[in-house]
C-alpha cells in the first residue's frame, strides 16, 4: 500500500486562459496549491495529457476531463467520434499507466441538454463514453451534487 504522505503531487491543468474570469480562476487554483502544506508540480496541458510520464511515487490530479475533451475535439477537428474516444482513452491509459494515485475532476453535462447541433451531440457522446471508461477503471467514483458526495463506486454506499 502506498504511503500517501510521501507521494509527489502533480496537477495537470487542462484549462486555457481566454478571458479575465478564467485568469481569475487559474490564479485562485495556483494560490490554493501554493498555500498547501505540500509542494505541487503543475503541468499545463490543454491537450496531449500523456506527455508527462508519472511513476508509482506520484499522485496526479487531472483538472478537468470536460475541458480536456473539448480541447482535444477542437485540436483534432474532423476526427470521427468513435476514433476520438479511442484517441482519448489511449491518452488516459498512458497517463495513468504507472502513476501511484490519480484523481480526475469532471462535469456531467449530458443530463439536461437536448440539442440538434451535431457538434454538441458528438461532444456529449464522447464525454459520456469517457466518463464510463473512467468509472470502470476507477476504484472510487464520487459525484458531487450540491456539495453532497454521491458514491457511485467504492467508498460509502
Amino acid at each position: 500500500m502506498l504511503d500517501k504522505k510521501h507521494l509527489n503531487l502533480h496537477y495537470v491543468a487542462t484549462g486555457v486562459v481566454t478571458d479575465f474570469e478564467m485568469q481569475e480562476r487559474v490564479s485562485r487554483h495556483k494560490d490554493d496549491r501554493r498555500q498547501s502544506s505540500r509542494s505541487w508540480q503543475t503541468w499545463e496541458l490543454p491537450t496531449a495529457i500523456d506527455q508527462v510520464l508519472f511513476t508509482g511515487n506520484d499522485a496526479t490530479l487531472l483538472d478537468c476531463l470536460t475541458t480536456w475533451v473539448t480541447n482535444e475535439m477542437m485540436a483534432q477537428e474532423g476526427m470521427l467520434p468513435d476514433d476520438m474516444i479511442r484517441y482519448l482513452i489511449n491518452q488516459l491509459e498512458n497517463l495513468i499507466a504507472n502513476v501511484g494515485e490519480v484523481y480526475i475532476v469532471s462535469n456531467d453535462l449530458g443530463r439536461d441538454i437536448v440539442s440538434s447541433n451535431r457538434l454538441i451531440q458528438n461532444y456529449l457522446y464522447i464525454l459520456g463514453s469517457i466518463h464510463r471508461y473512467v468509472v470502470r477503471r476507477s476504484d472510487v467514483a464520487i459525484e458531487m451534487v450540491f456539495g453532497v458526495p454521491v458514491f457511485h463506486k467504492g467508498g460509502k454506499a
Side-chain angles (χ1 to χ4, degrees):
M1 180 151 193
L2 294 170
D3 180 3
K4 294 181 183 186
K5 292 180 187 176
H6 294 95
L7 291 174
N8 303 312
L9 301 180
H10 297 270
Y11 183 85
V12 178
T14 63
V16 177
V17 175
T18 56
D19 58 23
F20 179 75
E21 182 181 344
M22 187 62 170
Q23 180 59 55
E24 288 290 311
R25 192 173 183 186
V26 167
S27 294
R28 196 170 49 249
H29 281 228
K30 285 180 179 179
D31 287 344
D32 289 345
R33 287 192 302 281
R34 272 193 292 272
Q35 293 176 22
S36 172
S37 62
R38 302 271 311 278
S39 178
W40 287 82
Q41 171 70 45
T42 300
W43 305 91
E44 295 181 3
L45 299 171
T47 60
I49 61 169
D50 60 347
Q51 287 182 28
V52 180
L53 299 178
F54 297 106
T55 72
N57 294 322
D58 297 322
T60 302
L61 173 62
L62 173 63
D63 186 13
C64 119
L65 192 80
T66 316
T67 303
W68 171 64
V69 169
T70 301
N71 295 341
E72 286 290 3
M73 285 182 68
M74 297 302 106
Q76 304 299 328
E77 191 175 348
M79 187 180 284
L80 296 173
D82 288 330
D83 293 338
M84 178 61 71
I85 291 166
R86 283 188 288 278
Y87 176 74
L88 296 173
I89 287 174
N90 186 55
Q91 283 191 56
L92 285 167
E93 280 296 323
N94 290 336
L95 175 79
I96 65 177
N98 299 308
V99 71
E101 300 267 338
V102 65
Y103 301 88
I104 300 174
V105 175
S106 194
N107 300 288
D108 183 4
L109 304 177
R111 288 191 175 167
D112 296 325
I113 298 175
V114 177
S115 176
S116 59
N117 181 291
R118 176 58 61 190
L119 181 61
I120 293 172
Q121 291 172 351
N122 287 344
Y123 175 72
L124 294 174
Y125 169 70
I126 291 166
L127 185 61
S129 297
I130 297 302
H131 280 155
R132 286 188 295 279
Y133 162 79
V134 167
V135 170
R136 275 194 311 274
R137 285 286 272 123
S138 298
D139 296 324
V140 178
I142 306 166
E143 178 182 16
M144 295 300 292
V145 180
F146 301 111
V148 177
V150 177
F151 289 79
H152 292 284
K153 183 177 181 184
K156 301 175 186 176

